[in-house]
Amino acid sequence: MAETQNSRLPIYAVIVTVVFKLLFLLTHYIQEDAFITWRVAQNVLDYGVIGFNGGTKISASTTHLYVFVSYIFNLIFGKEYFIEPLLIFNSILFTIGTLFLSHLLLKNPWHKAIFIFLIGIVPPAIKISILGMEYGILFFLEMSLLYYGFNKGKKWLLTLLPILIMFTRIDTVIFLGIVFLVDVFWNKKIRWNYVFGGILGVLFTVGFNWFYFGEVVNNTITAKKLLYEQQFTFAQNVDYFLVSFGNFWGMLKVPGNFNPITIIVLIFELLCFIYLIRQREKRNYFLWMIFIFGWTKQIIFLSQKSLFDWYYWVPQLLLFVPILIFVLEQKEKRNLWLSLLVIFYIVPMLAFQTIHAIATGNGEWNYRRTIGVFLNKYEKDKKQWILLEPAGYIPYFSRLKTIDEVGLVDKQIQEEIKKDKPNYWINTVKNRKPKYLLSYQNLYEGKNAEYYKTHYKLLKEFRVKDHLKSDNKLLEKIYNLKPSGTDYNLYIRVD
């Protein structure tokens, strides 16, 4: 009876972890890009087209599979009520993924339960679960591949899961490739079901892009490369890498190229990994997979100057895994090791993420969302256009047609960037005459001030400082400790 109860401990840990993380829904901390995906899903609902602005096809979202999942949730719960159920779904899937990972790496049910809870409450895990991005589904699919495909030997899943994984994000080719190489090196043979699945995944994803959108890669990749691409010297590349290294290799996004916490954690991760693989156990097969992937993914994206922190969530977690296993399996003074880890790392990380989520949630939900809500009430004609950046909260809640500065949701602005990059913004305004402009700057100052004064009037100013107050004094202190958001000026065309 006791043995049966113990075997259920990991399942109980999944439930407790999910329930614990649901508290973060109260912060309304949702990533801007999630609203792009959700608007695309609603565009499918309204127009039958994967797009952003009516009947125009565009791969505005980085993830196709998550668009369809979001579409189903919109269909079931309605546009007004689908967000919370979808976030809970993401959190459940992610935590089940950690359950699969615990089965691969640990034997003791108590160790598995503690592993599931502790890895579930560090910052990347919380962000994967509640920020609305596709990584909850992705983590679940990747861990399912390792557990059922490579551990249980389910051949049909070795073929199916790579297709679903690549259809979620095309950059998962890195994960699939590392897993393939480690498997071949370890077993000295090729799993042709997996190779077939990988080939199908590439063909299906690229083929879908080509036949539906007329492009090989997602528009989001093309747009970012077009606007952000610059020529760097070798020294500039090194400096950029060091700054990014300091920000992303640990659990914290801390400015500056020297982050002592990051360096200490990195060294400890390496030492724990070396200690574990020297034990020559069967699980080393999976430890090599996740550790090499974690390093490879971070190095590739850092070298490409990808500063968006969600690219690093899954690698951050997987690189932290050896530390948790090392501490949990200490035969002597395990409780001391575990207490030190929890008190000096897990709890501070959780506290940081809680404060960050409350402050950022205020800046996004209570501030940026109100701009969209204002426009939704002010402008009844939803066929009118707004030029702004970014394309998440404000277009979603305003329901207006949108031109974003980067070109994620509108391809025409990319043509202006190609023709005259320094002046593409003003050229877009002159050529397309959007009814609304939302800018970080005062457009009545600068070289094009006369044009803006003639054709646009200032409709409303939105200021972050106006949203740093709360009846709850603790919340107010957090808002002021880490103000989140950007000041905006909203202009309306007068001719």
Side-chain angles (χ1 to χ4, degrees):
M1 185 67 177
E3 189 175 329
T4 304
Q5 288 289 344
N6 282 346
S7 67
R8 292 175 182 168
L9 280 173
I11 303 296
Y12 298 150
V14 168
I15 297 169
V16 170
T17 306
V18 170
V19 171
F20 180 84
K21 286 198 287 191
L22 291 185
L23 292 170
F24 281 87
L25 296 183
L26 300 174
T27 67
H28 294 294
Y29 178 32
I30 302 174
Q31 178 62 40
E32 185 91 28
D33 288 51
F35 285 99
I36 297 178
T37 298
W38 295 341
R39 171 144 165 176
V40 172
Q42 291 177 357
N43 203 79
V44 177
L45 198 65
D46 294 336
Y47 297 94
V49 170
I50 301 174
F52 198 88
N53 295 310
T56 304
K57 294 179 180 180
I58 186 170
S59 53
S61 173
T62 54
T63 169
H64 296 321
L65 182 65
Y66 190 45
V67 165
F68 290 116
V69 171
S70 300
Y71 164 82
I72 292 169
F73 271 77
N74 271 275
L75 204 60
I76 295 171
F77 295 98
K79 292 180 182 179
E80 301 298 324
Y81 304 104
F82 82 95
I83 293 178
E84 284 77 11
L86 182 54
L87 296 182
I88 293 169
F89 177 72
N90 286 344
S91 187
I92 291 170
L93 283 189
F94 167 76
T95 313
I96 292 173
T98 65
L99 172 68
F100 294 157
L101 185 57
S102 74
H103 288 331
L104 292 172
L105 302 174
L106 295 162
K107 297 174 183 177
N108 186 307
W110 275 103
H111 292 173
K112 292 179 182 180
I114 296 169
F115 174 91
I116 290 165
F117 182 73
L118 291 184
I119 203 166
I121 63 172
V122 291
I126 292 169
K127 289 184 278 192
I128 287 173
S129 299
I130 59 103
L131 259 67
M133 301 283 278
E134 63 271 16
Y135 287 93
I137 291 174
L138 184 60
F139 191 81
F140 169 78
L141 292 174
E142 290 177 339
M143 295 305 107
S144 297
L145 175 67
L146 297 186
Y147 182 66
Y148 286 107
F150 287 90
N151 184 55
K152 297 290 186 181
K154 305 290 185 184
K155 292 183 178 180
W156 66 278
L157 285 176
L158 285 173
T159 302
L160 175 64
L161 287 174
I163 300 170
L164 296 177
I165 288 169
M166 284 209 67
F167 204 57
T168 306
R169 284 193 68 91
I170 199 165
D171 57 27
T172 53
V173 68
I174 300 170
F175 174 81
L176 297 172
I178 294 298
V179 168
F180 171 76
L181 292 174
V182 172
D183 179 60
V184 170
F185 180 82
W186 191 273
N187 293 307
K188 304 295 189 294
K189 65 178 182 179
I190 295 175
R191 298 182 196 245
W192 291 106
N193 299 73
Y194 183 60
V195 173
F196 186 54
I199 293 171
L200 283 178
V202 172
L203 292 176
F204 186 70
T205 305
V206 173
F208 181 82
N209 281 342
W210 178 255
F211 288 108
Y212 193 85
F213 299 110
E215 59 196 18
V216 175
V217 298
N218 294 35
N219 175 70
T220 51
I221 298 171
T222 306
K224 288 173 184 175
K225 184 178 180 182
L226 180 64
L227 187 64
Y228 297 141
E229 193 171 45
Q230 299 180 50
Q231 296 298 319
F232 289 89
T233 64
F234 177 77
Q236 287 173 323
N237 277 314
V238 171
D239 288 341
Y240 209 105
F241 183 87
L242 289 173
V243 171
S244 302
F245 168 89
N247 285 344
F248 294 115
W249 214 286
M251 294 284 182
L252 285 175
K253 186 176 178 180
V254 179
N257 61 359
F258 180 73
N259 178 353
I261 297 174
T262 298
I263 304 299
I264 292 168
V265 172
L266 174 59
I267 293 171
F268 199 35
E269 285 172 351
L270 282 167
L271 292 175
C272 290
F273 175 72
I274 293 168
Y275 173 84
L276 292 176
I277 60 170
R278 284 170 62 87
Q279 295 176 357
R280 299 185 180 277
E281 293 191 18
K282 180 184 176 183
R283 71 179 177 197
N284 289 3
Y285 172 57
F286 297 106
L287 279 173
W288 277 110
M289 285 180 179
I290 65 175
F291 210 71
I292 293 175
F293 163 69
W295 273 80
T296 305
K297 174 77 181 282
Q298 299 237 48
I299 288 172
I300 290 174
F301 275 76
L302 289 171
S303 68
Q304 296 303 305
K305 304 169 188 66
S306 301
L307 289 180
F308 300 114
D309 61 337
W310 48 87
Y311 294 138
Y312 305 90
W313 292 342
V314 174
Q316 284 169 355
L317 281 175
L318 296 180
L319 290 174
F320 186 63
V321 164
I323 293 179
L324 271 180
I325 297 174
F326 170 80
V327 170
L328 287 170
E329 294 187 345
Q330 287 301 302
K331 291 182 173 61
E332 296 180 9
K333 298 182 179 178
R334 179 192 300 123
N335 291 340
L336 175 62
W337 276 94
L338 192 56
S339 298
L340 290 172
L341 180 67
V342 171
I343 293 170
F344 291 104
Y345 194 78
I346 302 290
V347 170
M349 292 293 104
L350 180 60
F352 169 84
Q353 187 57 40
T354 302
I355 293 170
H356 179 73
I358 291 170
T360 309
N362 176 64
E364 299 293 322
W365 189 266
N366 296 338
Y367 170 56
R368 206 194 301 265
R369 182 181 66 95
T370 59
I371 304 175
V373 171
F374 168 81
L375 277 164
N376 187 40
K377 292 178 180 177
Y378 186 86
E379 180 56 70
K380 302 303 179 186
D381 182 5
K382 301 309 174 188
K383 293 183 180 179
Q384 295 297 336
W385 290 82
I386 182 170
L387 172 58
L388 52 62
E389 178 62 26
Y393 275 86
I394 297 165
Y396 181 87
F397 286 101
S398 71
R399 307 294 180 190
L400 295 176
K401 289 194 171 185
T402 303
I403 309 165
D404 70 299
E405 292 180 8
V406 182
L408 301 182
V409 304
D410 181 272
K411 282 190 175 182
Q412 290 183 54
I413 198 170
Q414 294 178 27
E415 298 305 314
E416 296 292 351
I417 295 170
K418 291 174 185 176
K419 286 189 289 186
D420 185 6
K421 193 171 183 178
N423 300 299
Y424 82 96
W425 213 89
I426 183 63
N427 291 341
T428 299
V429 174
K430 289 179 177 179
N431 294 335
R432 299 181 64 181
K433 301 177 174 62
K435 186 171 182 179
Y436 297 97
L437 305 176
L438 189 68
S439 176
Y440 306 126
Q441 279 84 39
N442 179 355
L443 297 181
Y444 293 163
E445 298 176 352
K447 66 176 183 178
N448 298 305
E450 288 306 313
Y451 178 87
Y452 291 118
K453 288 177 182 177
T454 304
H455 298 283
Y456 287 88
K457 76 170 182 178
L458 180 65
L459 179 61
K460 190 173 175 62
E461 293 180 341
F462 297 94
R463 298 293 180 260
V464 175
K465 63 181 176 61
D466 298 331
H467 292 264
L468 299 180
K469 295 179 176 62
S470 173
D471 294 334
N472 186 309
K473 292 303 174 185
L474 178 60
L475 289 180
E476 188 171 299
K477 285 182 180 179
I478 292 173
Y479 296 161
N480 284 277
L481 178 68
K482 190 182 180 298
S484 179
T486 309
D487 290 339
Y488 284 108
N489 297 314
L490 177 64
Y491 300 86
I492 184 170
R493 195 164 182 92
V494 293
D495 57 339

